[in-house]
């Protein structure tokens, strides 16, 4: 159960870092028109750190592209041409994909790594000094 479930009665798993800034949800909702491939997780480690985990079995690092433009994180994958194999069963999908995730404006991409067929993109919320709480001492 997320804050989005409580407030709007539906889930928005593609919007990262909007816990405090719900005003962009209407815009973000329209960006979620992609199919369910590849499957992904969004993990909130603490108030400032998130990660996107994408199942990319069969893709190499060179076949995956990660870009951030303004508030959109775009992860794409395209397999290079392979020799034709005579599959008895081909269950590993190798089709091209693009996943877009809407980020709050204070989220930065820290980096990405890939292990055991899972692409992990690390994200961090950077709160500017002027937006941080300030304690006022009583005289």
């Amino acid at each position: 159960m997320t804050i989005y479930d409580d407030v709007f009665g539906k889930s928005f798993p593609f919007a990262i870092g909007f816990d405090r800034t719900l005003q962009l949800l209407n815009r973000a909702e329209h960006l979620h028109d992609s199919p369910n491939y590849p499957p992904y997780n969004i993990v909130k480690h603490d108030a400032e750190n998130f990660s996107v985990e994408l199942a990319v079995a069969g893709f190499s690092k060179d076949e995956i592209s990660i870009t951030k433009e303004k508030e959109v994180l775009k992860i794409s994958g395209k397999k290079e041409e392979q020799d034709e194999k005579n599959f008895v069963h081909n269950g590993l999908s190798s089709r091209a994909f693009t996943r877009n995730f809407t980020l709050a404006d204070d989220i930065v991409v820290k980096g990405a790594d890939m292990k055991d067929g899972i692409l992990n993109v690390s994200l961090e919320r950077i709160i500017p000094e002027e937006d941080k709480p300030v304690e006022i001492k009583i005289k």
Side-chain angles (χ1 to χ4, degrees):
M1 177 78 73
T2 67
I3 189 169
Y4 310 114
D5 295 322
D6 293 338
V7 176
F8 295 98
K10 55 183 167 177
S11 180
F12 294 94
F14 52 88
I16 302 168
F18 285 102
D19 298 61
R20 297 171 297 148
T21 54
L22 297 174
Q23 72 270 14
L24 296 176
L25 284 177
N26 285 335
R27 184 175 143 235
E29 186 171 11
H30 301 293
L31 294 176
H32 193 56
D33 296 331
S34 61
N36 292 327
Y37 175 77
Y40 66 92
N41 295 326
I42 297 174
V43 181
K44 183 175 182 177
H45 302 287
D46 56 40
E48 288 84 29
N49 293 285
F50 303 84
S51 62
V52 175
E53 300 171 337
L54 214 67
V56 292
F59 286 85
S60 71
K61 293 177 184 180
D62 297 335
E63 297 169 327
I64 296 174
S65 168
I66 304 169
T67 59
K68 180 180 182 272
E69 185 175 342
K70 298 191 180 190
E71 290 92 24
V72 177
L73 173 67
K74 180 179 178 180
I75 304 173
S76 302
K78 184 173 180 179
K79 294 289 291 174
E80 295 179 12
E81 294 296 321
Q82 295 182 353
D83 297 332
E84 283 295 316
K85 295 180 182 177
N86 188 11
F87 289 103
V88 174
H89 173 74
N90 185 7
L92 294 177
S93 182
S94 60
R95 65 182 185 250
F97 68 87
T98 299
R99 280 278 192 193
N100 292 319
F101 299 91
T102 303
L103 307 176
D105 57 358
D106 58 356
I107 298 288
V108 296
V109 178
K110 291 183 357 183
D113 62 4
M114 197 161 80
K115 181 179 178 186
D116 299 330
I118 303 293
L119 174 68
N120 189 319
V121 181
S122 300
L123 308 170
E124 183 178 5
R125 171 178 278 131
I126 304 294
I127 302 172
E129 284 298 319
E130 62 270 10
D131 291 344
K132 291 183 180 178
V134 177
E135 184 176 342
I136 309 298
K137 298 287 185 186
I138 301 172
K139 295 183 184 181

